Amino acid sequence: MTAGYIEMWRLVAPEVIVVITALCVLSADLAWLRGAEARVRSMVATLLSVAGCAAAIGWILRAPLTVSFGDGVLVLGPVAQHVQIALLALTMLTVLLASGGDFTRHISEYLALMLLATVGMMLLVSTQNLLLIFLALELLSLSLYVLAAFDKRSERSAEAALKYFLFGAISAAFLLFGFSLLYGVSNSTNLGTIANMLHGAPLDPLLLVAIMMTLVGLGFKVAAVPFHFWAPDVYQGAPASSAALIASGSKVAGFFILYQVLVLGLAGAKGSSAWHGYAAGWMPVVAIVAALSMVLGNLVAIAQTSVRRLLAYSAIGHAGYMLLTILAHTNQSFSALLYYAITYALTVLGAFGVVAVVERVTGGDTLAHFAGLSRRAPLVSLCMLVFMLSLAGIPPLAGFFGKFYVFASALNADHELLWLVVLAIAMSAVSLYYYLKVLKSIYVGEPAGEAPVRVPVVQQVVLAVIALGVVVLGCVPSLLLRWL
Amino acid sequence: MNLLPPISLLTVVPLVGAAAVLVLGRKDNRLARVLAFTFAFLALAVVLILWHWFNPTAGGLQFEEVHAWIPALGVEYHVGIDGLGLLMLLLSAIVVPMAMAASSRIEARAPLYYSLVLMLEAGLFGTFTALNFFHWFLFWELSLIPAFFLIRLWGGTQRAAAATQFFIYTMVGSVALLLAFLALFLCTGKFDFMDLAALAQSGQLLPSLAAGFAWHSLTAGKVALLLCFGAFLGFAVKVPLVPFHTWLPSAYAEAPAGVTMLLTGTMSKMGVYGFLRILLPIFYAQLREVRTALLWLAVATIVLSAYAALAQKDLKRIFAYSSINHLGYCMLGIFSILKWTGDNPALAAEKAAALNGVLLQMFNHGLTAATLFWFVALLEKRSGGLRGLDDFGGLRKVAPVFCGMMGIALFSSLGLPGLNGFVGEFLIFKGAFPLAIAPTSVSVLGLLLTAIFILTILQRVFSGPLNSKWAGMHDLTLSERLALAPPLVLMFVLGVYPQLVLGFTNSTVMQFVRHLRF
Amino acid sequence: MLAWTIYISFGGALVLMLLPKGGVRAARVVALLAALAGLAIAVADFARRPSGELVTVVQVSWIRSLGLEYHLAADGISLTLVLLTGIVAVAGVLFSWNIEQRANEFFAFYLALIGGVYGVFLSFDLLLLFVFYEIAIVPKYFLIAIWGSTRREYAAMKLALYSFVGSAMVLIGLIAAYVVAGARTMDLVQLSQFPFPVHFQMWAFPLVFVGFGILAGLWPFHTWAPTGHVAAPTAASMLLAGVVMKLGAYGCLRVAMMLFPRGLDPWGFHVLGLGSWREVFALLALIGIVYGAMVALVQKDFKFVIGYSSVSHMGFVLLGLMTLQQIGLDGAVLQMFSHGVLAGLLFAVVGRMVYDRTHTRDLTELSKMSLGKVLPFAAATFVLAGMASIGLPGFSGFVAELQVLIGTWRSFPVFVVIAGVGIVIGIAYTWRAMQMAFFGASHNSSVGSAAYPPISIPERIAAMLLLAASIVVGLYPQLLLRVIIPALHSPMFDGLWKGGVR
């Protein structure tokens, strides 16, 4: 508590490293590369960013911490740090995938924003203080808004960003309001203290309002129904790598913090979502949100012809599955949440990488544009096969084990969650249909042209690495579980 | 020989032959034919050796082989022969080469043809030696399938319908048989014929059936009758008995010559064999209940078929109906045995006579009928396919040897004393008359009618004015005469010296009569 | 050693995926070698095994925190089915020798499917079993969607979704069982000893049974089967009907019946005359037998006849399972083997020998072609296979169906009659198909000598392999029964015998 600023800086060293990297990227480009061609600028920026992230990872690995600083301002433990490593890794991969994009000349600004968004994510997972949560969330969101708008050639991008911004701003307002009410009720901004204050206290209307508002704010972040309306348009309009980051890293961070807020902070107000034992609190609400997300996300995805929108709606569905772990609120389910979120993020990142490749070659992302891809780009198609099947939950891929772990931990924690688990499994079965549609197009469809597609080596390697990761994590999940 | 299982060996020989013919003779019809003959004669040799080793005085089963097979189902590999079995093996082994000899006109897909014939022979051997329902039924079906294809693929113009009818009738009968024995197994846990017979003999059958069908309101007696009927159906179709005979005339007429010989010479005997080996020992009590009906059924078979033969114009159809007629005598003999004679030892002796007659008639008819169809085939060869009664006339003038030889066969079929056909029929009538006076008396009509149509054939085909169409008809060639000689000689021999057969069948018959409670 | 069947299959699939595009010959050879290796291992292990007790092949901890193990083991039932898979796999590769388009992908998916199937039969950890079960779904989809014929994309999707829905149901039951048993282990042996509460078993059993039953062709969830079989390319149909449907039946036995035997007990009340799940599923199986047979009788498409006959034959398997008699279950497992081989053979004749040459499956058109003369080997094979599938003694189907019927007689006597009717209808539709396809009267004898390519060597070898398997087992069923019967006596199945009838 009385540790000095040095101490604090040491605690946030990884974030600092990433910030410095962002600044380096900006300044390097500004200072020396204004005249260089785009390819060189891109390469330098990418290398710098990757190096910076790697350095941050290295720092975390070298100096593991378990500490709580300030009034819950910085709370680090092995799990949080490992999640930070995962976030950094995801960013690295996104940066590498973005290197092939040609939608902007301002590549350094783009990557810098990405890094700043990453900082926001890293802060999100290392805090239990309401104020810092909001700060980190805003840092993340603002970066993402701009990232979404970065493709100036496309009006869709601008529209997406605007929608994202508007939704996001309103949700942020809700969140802030909710947080302030929470503070009012508990007289503290520390989640732990809030929990203590609420423990045993009756549920007063102000608290309920606070909970609802918090849920709105955070629900927006994870794209749960009914706060999901931004997702399809943003996923479709934003440049591929931005969408990838939105879909992957920010989801992980978003779920992490949602779990913390609800399970840690609002533990006293959870109520019950049991089939026969309803009790007011956030649990019934989250249960309904989860159910709606699962159903709506999967059912609407069936009708999509654009792969990006399909991924958006499927993301809503997956959000629903992940909310199950929050309902279970045990350590095991938290571990399940993180495993699911990280592997999901990885998979979706890869999927967007493939979408980027296809868009560059064929100019669109509808199912028809994917037709016959397996003949023209076998490696990329194979990777997409892995990603789609993992999302569907086919073993031995990570997505299957994630779902199994989530469902098992949910049922293990509370038998009454059976109805949600059944619904989840049913919707999961439905989801196979639209994932297979994509694969059908790739493998069964006839290609428009016979020429093999030239994919840059970097993209191929990254996609292959991600696919391999998904397979390995599915076969030997303990590799990841150990760290969670 | 004691080291090798003779009966299994016997059954395997034609199977190996079938494979050999298919594989080696694939491209060469002549080679196929030669191979087929080789294996058929090999089988005949084995049977003759078996005959040599057979002990004529012992009444029970010989050369028995018992091996565990499917213990879970109570199925054993149990084979053995007694006098009856040996007789049937001899008949089959003799008729098959005759049938092959008559098949010289088959050129299309000949290897397949001979292979199917050999498979049929294996089925015959198996049926006549198997003593456990499981593999007995296997061989029973194994003989059905090649017969179907033989008719279907090489038969005459109406072959499709004939083959289909043959198949359906026999299949329905087989299914009834299968169901009956399945029910028996379910109630008694046994598939073995000897065991089941022992069960019936000791009076355990009805109680077992009662226990097995306890859930239904049928009494044990009714159930037994039902099962008996099922099994009866299977065999009655094969013999055939009126009214299950309607498949026969078309099948015999449409089948190629060699196949008809097999059908009449051996396959019809499967039905009679079934009655003797299977139905009678197990279901004698049920059969006895309906004895009168059965006897009159046999009479109907005898008389109606002979009457129908009179009306036929196609030589093959005449002989087809004649077959039904001759086997009707066997059935008459069998059914007459059912009469309870426990208090009258003299009648028991008559049973032995009747049974001996039945066995003898089975063999003789097989031989004679096969020879007759062979002659028809030879006639068809010379006439370019014609075989109507009215197509010929006065052939005695251009083909005297042919007429002479065929005449012998015809007279044997008629039942002329001195030829083999007489002895069997005589013994049957002798034995059956005191046991079933009225039916036997009426059956004499059959003899009369047979005489009429045989003589008609002799007159229309061989005597009378020569039909100018056949002025250039060739007589029998030397090879044909040599080939036909053995059956004809056998006809004479058996006519004069039936002891050849009775010598080894008598003990079996006595065993039947003594140990089986009729 | 047995685990290598799985590894070789997947390894082969991987190799095939990496082969250069035009290497058709290389693809065939690789696939054949992989399939033969699997078969050789299966036969070797089968021969070495004295009886059907459980022998563990591999058992290592997989996810220690959840108690999940990578546990492969084999008892008599597994061995029988692994043997079946080996035989059908080799035959399938041989019958696919003529695939030219994208051959290496075809064989890759094929081997992946085989690997998954081997995995299911050898898994003794419930989650592992489920993993392999699901792995098998995806290759099926692609095999049908890319290389199939009639309405292939629709059929493939239908098949994939039905299978997935079925496995979703199984997953629910599986997770529930895991949780109720304390979330410590998924080991089948241990779970089979765990006393699940009766009311839990009462809903878990039908859920898991139906989930697996969908894949086994349980009426009325069978509708994917005829469409799927018809649309699939020959080798895929062979695998689908021959092996994949057995996955479902195996799951019914190994998971549903072994883990939740109390689910078969009487409810205590009656609905429509049925008093337990056992009676319900026995009735459904019976309906499947008769329904499949009757519908097969009126089909115009040759392949549909065989497709529906598969549904009918699988009905025997399920009926045998529900008898809860030793002999009925023996018959059910034996029928799994027998039908696997025969279905493979029948589809091969229809698909590869006839359709690939005549390009029609319409029976009326075929009856004009007198195929009996033109393709004698195909005709002979179909005749033999047809006889075997009718249940003629001497072939494997006879003993299997006999045992099932005996078991049914002891448990549900009335059903025997109806099942018998099903068999008779079976004779009728086989007869009809045979007549029309091969021995139709040729009105125009000059048409009959159309030049079709002769039946190639790989086809002959494969046909003879399958026929030999059926005949050997038909003549000497003790070969398989000696491992199946002891397997059903193992302690894992104790719960089944305790409440159920002997």
Side-chain angles (χ1 to χ4, degrees):
Chain A
M1 288 286 198
T2 54
Y5 276 109
I6 310 288
E7 184 62 35
M8 190 183 74
W9 284 116
R10 202 171 316 148
L11 290 178
V12 294
E15 285 87 339
V16 169
I17 294 178
V18 180
V19 171
I20 293 179
T21 313
L23 292 173
C24 281
V25 168
L26 277 174
S27 46
D29 187 77
L30 200 60
W32 294 298
L33 297 174
R34 275 291 151 185
E37 54 176 89
R39 211 169 47 85
V40 175
R41 290 167 69 187
S42 166
M43 200 169 63
V44 170
T46 309
L47 281 173
L48 277 176
S49 315
V50 171
C53 291
I57 295 180
W59 181 280
I60 302 176
L61 284 174
R62 198 184 62 91
L65 295 165
T66 306
V67 71
S68 168
F69 177 84
D71 192 15
V73 170
L74 277 176
V75 177
L76 288 170
V79 174
Q81 291 208 301
H82 294 146
V83 175
Q84 284 186 332
I85 295 178
L87 289 169
L88 284 164
L90 285 170
T91 308
M92 271 173 33
L93 292 168
T94 314
V95 164
L96 284 169
L97 281 176
S99 68
D102 61 348
F103 55 87
T104 176
R105 290 178 310 142
H106 308 285
I107 189 70
S108 62
E109 285 90 331
Y110 187 72
L111 291 181
L113 275 171
M114 268 202 184
L115 291 169
L116 290 176
T118 311
V119 173
M121 291 191 253
M122 287 167 72
L123 281 175
L124 255 187
V125 305
S126 54
T127 178
Q128 282 180 5
N129 184 293
L130 293 180
L131 278 177
L132 203 61
I133 292 176
F134 185 75
L135 259 168
L137 210 51
E138 280 305 289
L139 175 58
L140 174 60
S141 305
L142 286 171
S143 314
L144 289 179
Y145 302 151
V146 182
L147 283 171
F150 233 81
D151 188 356
K152 291 205 260 199
R153 305 169 305 178
S154 151
E155 56 184 34
R156 276 247 191 97
S157 175
E159 179 190 337
L162 194 62
K163 277 190 188 160
Y164 197 17
F165 171 65
L166 284 174
F167 265 97
I170 298 177
S171 316
F174 269 86
L175 188 65
L176 197 54
F177 198 16
F179 277 175
S180 56
L181 284 175
L182 270 180
Y183 176 71
V185 168
S186 63
N187 199 26
S188 162
T189 54
N190 180 327
L191 284 179
T193 321
I194 296 176
N196 286 336
M197 297 306 250
L198 293 179
H199 184 68
L203 223 48
D204 79 70
L206 208 58
L207 181 60
L208 279 174
V209 173
I211 295 174
M212 288 311 301
M213 298 204 144
T214 314
L215 275 176
V216 171
L218 291 174
F220 157 80
K221 200 77 210 123
V222 301
V225 168
F227 321 111
H228 66 285
F229 291 100
W230 59 273
D233 292 317
V234 173
Y235 276 55
Q236 191 175 31
S241 31
S242 313
L245 192 65
I246 295 171
S248 61
S250 85
K251 276 281 163 60
V252 177
F255 268 105
F256 191 98
I257 201 60
L258 184 62
Y259 189 91
Q260 298 284 62
V261 168
L262 286 179
V263 176
L264 271 180
L266 299 174
K270 52 178 190 290
S272 167
S273 68
W275 199 233
H276 295 295
Y278 170 82
W282 53 261
M283 273 187 73
V285 182
V286 172
I288 297 189
V289 167
L292 284 175
S293 305
M294 289 190 264
V295 173
L296 189 126
N298 283 299
L299 288 183
V300 179
I302 294 178
Q304 301 305 317
T305 47
S306 153
V307 175
R308 282 186 182 232
R309 287 186 86 90
L310 190 146
L311 285 172
Y313 281 105
S314 93
I316 299 170
H318 284 277
Y321 304 141
M322 288 194 261
L323 286 172
L324 276 180
T325 57
I326 296 182
L327 288 171
H329 64 270
T330 60
N331 279 337
Q332 194 187 42
S333 73
F334 188 46
S335 163
L337 172 65
L338 291 176
Y339 179 90
Y340 195 103
I342 292 174
T343 51
Y344 169 76
L346 201 61
T347 312
V348 160
L349 182 59
F352 268 105
V354 176
V355 170
V357 168
V358 173
E359 278 177 348
R360 210 182 20 251
V361 174
T362 58
D365 73 320
T366 64
L367 289 174
H369 286 106
F370 276 79
L373 190 66
S374 67
R375 259 61 58 79
R376 303 177 68 189
L379 184 63
V380 171
S381 306
L382 193 61
C383 294
M384 194 57 160
L385 179 76
V386 171
F387 301 143
M388 289 289 108
L389 292 181
S390 175
L391 288 173
I394 301 269
L397 303 170
F400 166 73
F401 185 74
K403 285 203 172 116
F404 170 75
Y405 200 13
V406 164
F407 300 146
S409 63
L411 266 186
N412 205 11
D414 185 0
H415 291 339
E416 299 292 340
L417 285 173
L418 183 64
W419 68 277
L420 269 172
V421 170
V422 171
L423 185 62
I425 294 180
M427 285 299 116
S428 184
V430 169
S431 73
L432 181 67
Y433 174 68
Y434 55 79
Y435 290 126
L436 269 185
K437 268 206 310 186
V438 178
L439 291 176
K440 180 169 81 161
S441 181
I442 294 178
Y443 277 91
V444 184
E446 287 309 311
E450 274 309 317
V453 166
R454 297 208 57 234
V455 184
V457 179
V458 173
Q459 318 280 71
Q460 288 199 30
V461 170
V462 171
L463 285 174
V465 165
I466 298 178
L468 200 62
V470 170
V471 175
V472 169
L473 284 178
C475 289
V476 197
S478 40
L479 284 178
L480 183 57
L481 284 178
R482 278 190 303 166
W483 302 93
L484 301 171
Chain B
M1 261 302 159
N2 279 337
L3 301 159
L4 296 162
I7 297 184
S8 306
L9 195 69
L10 178 65
T11 318
V12 159
V13 163
L15 279 175
V16 169
V21 167
L22 259 186
V23 171
L24 297 174
R26 197 170 54 233
K27 298 280 169 29
D28 185 350
N29 282 358
R30 274 209 64 219
L31 181 61
R33 215 170 130 76
V34 166
L35 276 174
F37 267 111
T38 316
F39 278 95
F41 280 122
L42 194 59
L44 180 58
V46 176
V47 173
L48 288 173
I49 295 177
L50 267 177
W51 186 15
H52 178 69
W53 284 74
F54 188 80
N55 183 351
T57 49
L61 288 171
Q62 302 180 34
F63 305 112
E64 263 189 285
E65 298 164 37
V66 184
H67 301 288
W69 192 357
I70 311 174
L73 286 174
V75 169
E76 289 177 318
Y77 180 73
H78 185 192
V79 293
I81 48 171
D82 57 4
L84 171 62
L86 182 61
L87 188 65
M88 291 295 102
L89 287 178
L90 275 169
L91 179 63
S92 311
I94 292 174
V95 171
V96 167
M98 285 168 66
M100 286 187 189
S103 306
S104 54
R105 278 215 299 177
I106 304 283
E107 288 299 326
R109 289 183 287 180
L112 184 62
Y113 178 90
Y114 288 111
S115 168
L116 286 172
V117 170
L118 283 169
M119 275 198 262
L120 192 87
E121 185 174 24
L124 289 168
F125 285 156
T127 314
F128 292 136
T129 56
L131 292 169
N132 186 295
F133 180 77
F134 183 75
H135 61 115
W136 180 88
F137 192 70
L138 207 156
F139 284 113
W140 177 266
E141 297 300 311
L142 184 58
S143 66
L144 166 66
I145 309 286
F148 167 76
F149 279 107
L150 283 167
I151 302 178
R152 186 72 175 74
L153 297 176
W154 288 276
T157 44
Q158 305 293 330
R159 61 182 186 276
T164 310
Q165 209 180 12
F166 168 73
F167 181 80
I168 292 181
Y169 269 79
T170 329
M171 197 40 115
V172 169
S174 304
V175 168
L177 196 54
L178 178 64
L179 288 176
F181 271 90
L182 274 184
L184 271 179
F185 172 74
L186 286 171
C187 298
T188 62
K190 294 189 193 304
F191 268 129
D192 191 280
F193 293 144
M194 300 293 124
D195 288 343
L196 283 169
L199 214 60
Q201 299 298 316
S202 58
Q204 302 290 337
L205 188 63
L206 282 186
S208 312
L209 289 177
F213 278 85
W215 56 273
H216 206 279
S217 51
L218 289 173
T219 62
K222 287 230 169 16
V223 168
L225 207 54
L226 197 63
L227 297 184
C228 171
F229 179 69
F232 174 84
L233 206 58
F235 299 121
V237 170
K238 255 305 204 259
V239 174
L241 275 174
V242 158
F244 310 110
H245 69 287
T246 41
W247 61 271
L248 190 143
S250 330
Y252 279 30
E254 294 303 321
V259 178
T260 317
M261 289 166 71
L262 285 170
L263 281 172
T264 186
T266 56
M267 289 187 71
S268 53
K269 310 300 172 293
M270 283 165 70
V272 188
Y273 174 85
F275 270 101
L276 284 171
R277 169 74 74 219
I278 301 171
L279 206 58
L280 222 51
I282 302 177
F283 289 113
Y284 67 90
Q286 288 69 36
L287 288 172
R288 178 173 297 156
E289 283 177 41
V290 289
R291 182 175 153 261
T292 323
L294 289 175
L295 276 168
W296 287 106
L297 210 59
V299 173
T301 307
I302 295 170
V303 176
L304 288 176
S305 57
Y307 195 68
L310 268 180
Q312 299 303 316
K313 290 280 176 266
D314 179 342
L315 275 176
K316 261 180 140 174
R317 281 185 183 259
I318 296 179
F319 291 132
Y321 279 106
S322 163
S323 274
I324 305 180
N325 166 272
H326 281 94
L327 286 169
Y329 297 126
C330 290
M331 300 318 295
L332 179 69
I334 294 179
F335 293 142
S336 64
I337 293 173
L338 288 167
K339 185 184 173 74
W340 169 246
T341 57
D343 43 359
N344 193 339
L347 279 182
E350 301 296 351
K351 282 193 184 179
L355 211 47
N356 268 319
V358 168
L359 261 62
L360 211 51
Q361 175 74 338
M362 283 167 82
F363 188 87
N364 291 332
H365 169 259
L367 186 63
T368 310
T371 317
L372 277 173
F373 279 104
W374 194 351
F375 279 116
V376 175
L378 290 171
L379 197 60
E380 271 187 301
K381 198 158 82 161
R382 284 159 174 73
S383 70
L386 289 174
R387 52 173 197 250
L389 198 57
D390 299 322
D391 288 332
F392 305 99
L395 289 183
R396 200 176 39 172
K397 297 197 183 60
V398 280
V401 181
F402 183 90
C403 295
M405 287 182 134
M406 186 162 180
I408 296 175
L410 281 169
F411 279 118
S412 162
S413 176
L414 179 66
L416 198 67
L419 289 170
N420 61 344
F422 170 71
V423 198
E425 289 175 8
F426 172 72
L427 277 174
I428 290 176
F429 274 98
K430 171 182 179 296
F433 191 74
L435 295 168
I437 300 181
T440 318
S441 315
V442 178
S443 308
V444 175
L445 254 173
L447 289 174
L448 205 61
L449 292 168
T450 307
I452 296 180
F453 69 70
I454 297 272
L455 290 171
T456 310
I457 294 176
L458 276 168
Q459 196 257 326
R460 292 269 187 84
V461 173
F462 295 120
S463 317
L466 174 62
N467 190 329
S468 50
K469 249 199 288 188
W470 312 119
M473 183 179 281
H474 297 286
D475 203 350
L476 290 177
T477 64
L478 183 61
S479 55
E480 285 167 350
R481 290 180 212 190
L482 285 176
L484 282 166
L488 290 174
V489 166
L490 207 53
M491 286 183 204
F492 274 111
V493 168
L494 280 174
V496 175
Y497 188 58
Q499 202 56 26
L500 200 64
V501 165
L502 289 174
F504 62 84
T505 60
N506 193 42
S507 49
T508 309
V509 164
M510 295 312 293
Q511 174 108 10
F512 255 62
V513 175
R514 258 203 301 264
H515 291 262
L516 296 180
R517 289 200 305 190
F518 290 140
Chain C
M1 194 56 196
L2 273 177
W4 282 97
T5 54
I6 308 176
Y7 307 147
I8 292 179
S9 302
F10 281 122
L14 201 61
V15 166
L16 281 166
M17 266 303 196
L18 299 172
L19 278 182
K21 205 164 287 258
V24 173
R25 285 201 61 211
R28 291 174 188 159
V29 171
V30 170
L32 185 60
L33 286 176
L36 276 174
L39 177 60
I41 297 174
V43 171
D45 205 272
F46 188 87
R48 265 193 336 196
R49 200 68 73 87
S51 72
E53 273 112 37
L54 187 65
V55 171
T56 297
V57 178
V58 175
Q59 186 166 13
V60 294
S61 182
W62 182 19
I63 302 167
R64 202 177 298 266
S65 55
L66 293 173
L68 302 173
E69 294 178 318
Y70 181 72
H71 184 187
L72 297 176
D75 68 355
I77 303 172
S78 316
L79 273 180
T80 309
L81 292 169
V82 164
L83 194 60
L84 168 70
T85 312
I87 295 174
V88 177
V90 171
V93 171
L94 286 172
F95 276 117
S96 306
W97 213 251
N98 64 332
I99 300 256
E100 297 281 334
Q101 175 211 12
R102 294 166 78 177
N104 54 334
E105 285 178 274
F106 178 85
F107 286 116
F109 283 122
Y110 184 88
L111 283 180
L113 180 57
I114 297 283
V117 171
Y118 276 132
V120 173
F121 290 141
L122 291 171
S123 297
F124 261 76
D125 179 281
L126 197 47
L127 190 67
L128 188 63
L129 191 148
F130 186 79
V131 164
F132 280 118
Y133 193 75
E134 294 254 292
I135 290 181
I137 295 183
V138 174
K140 273 188 296 192
Y141 174 80
F142 285 110
L143 281 173
I144 300 180
I146 304 179
W147 291 276
S149 52
T150 320
R151 294 168 85 201
R152 56 179 189 257
E153 292 180 15
Y154 165 77
M157 188 62 87
K158 192 170 181 181
L159 185 143
L161 288 177
Y162 266 76
S163 310
F164 208 58
V165 166
S167 58
M169 293 170 78
V170 170
L171 184 63
I172 298 174
L174 193 147
I175 296 183
Y178 172 69
V179 165
V180 169
R184 288 173 297 107
T185 177
M186 281 275 209
D187 185 55
L188 273 175
V189 182
Q190 292 188 40
L191 281 179
S192 69
Q193 306 296 325
F194 186 83
F196 290 103
V198 176
H199 68 267
F200 170 75
Q201 292 194 36
M202 275 295 174
W203 68 260
F205 172 77
L207 185 69
V208 176
F209 193 90
V210 173
F212 279 116
I214 290 178
L215 205 59
L218 177 69
W219 190 91
F221 311 109
H222 66 285
T223 46
W224 61 269
T227 329
H229 291 148
V230 170
T234 302
S237 317
M238 289 171 67
L239 279 184
L240 267 182
V243 177
V244 169
M245 282 177 103
K246 312 303 171 287
L247 281 183
Y250 177 79
C252 287
L253 176 62
R254 183 71 83 197
V255 181
M257 287 172 71
M258 205 169 83
L259 297 184
F260 311 124
R262 299 278 69 74
L264 290 159
D265 290 344
W267 298 321
F269 57 86
H270 287 258
V271 174
L272 292 176
L274 301 163
S276 67
W277 286 119
R278 178 169 168 234
E279 289 174 23
V280 170
F281 290 125
L283 184 62
L284 287 180
L286 190 68
I287 296 179
I289 295 175
V290 180
Y291 176 83
M294 291 198 334
V295 177
L297 193 55
V298 297
Q299 292 305 312
K300 293 201 182 61
D301 183 320
F302 201 2
K303 224 172 174 185
F304 265 106
V305 175
I306 314 295
Y308 279 105
S309 91
S310 284
V311 173
S312 183
H313 282 104
M314 285 307 291
F316 270 101
V317 174
L318 295 167
L319 183 62
L321 288 179
M322 286 295 103
T323 59
L324 289 187
Q325 300 281 340
Q326 170 78 47
I327 199 167
L329 275 116
D330 294 341
V333 179
L334 199 58
Q335 174 74 337
M336 286 193 220
F337 182 90
S338 164
H339 176 252
V341 167
L342 291 173
L345 192 53
L346 286 167
F347 275 112
V349 171
V350 175
R352 175 76 182 91
M353 293 188 190
V354 174
Y355 181 67
D356 276 2
R357 290 175 170 79
T358 61
H359 299 293
T360 175
R361 290 193 309 254
D362 184 78
L363 282 171
T364 329
E365 282 190 39
L366 287 173
S367 68
K368 299 196 186 106
M369 293 185 193
S370 68
L371 289 175
K373 288 203 189 67
V374 178
L375 298 173
F377 186 83
T381 311
F382 189 82
V383 166
L384 288 170
M387 285 171 10
S389 103
I390 290 177
L392 213 63
F395 295 97
S396 47
F398 177 70
V399 184
E401 287 179 7
L402 182 63
Q403 287 185 308
V404 168
L405 286 176
I406 292 174
T408 314
W409 170 265
R410 294 190 186 148
S411 303
F412 315 106
V414 183
F415 285 11
V416 174
V417 179
I418 307 178
V421 170
I423 297 182
V424 173
I425 306 180
I427 299 179
Y429 68 68
T430 312
W431 170 265
R432 173 178 171 263
M434 183 179 76
Q435 276 277 79
M436 289 182 82
F438 290 103
F439 302 112
S442 61
H443 306 287
N444 199 347
S445 52
S446 61
V447 172
S449 43
Y452 293 128
I455 311 280
S456 59
I457 302 280
E459 288 174 270
R460 286 174 193 260
I461 299 178
M464 288 198 274
L465 173 67
L466 291 170
L467 271 175
S470 182
I471 293 177
V472 166
V473 172
L475 289 178
Y476 189 54
Q478 198 58 14
L479 195 68
L480 293 178
L481 286 176
R482 79 179 163 96
V483 292
I484 296 176
I485 295 179
L488 284 167
H489 279 307
S490 95
M492 293 189 290
F493 286 103
D494 269 348
L496 210 55
W497 305 126
K498 257 193 290 231
V501 192
R502 260 283 147 185

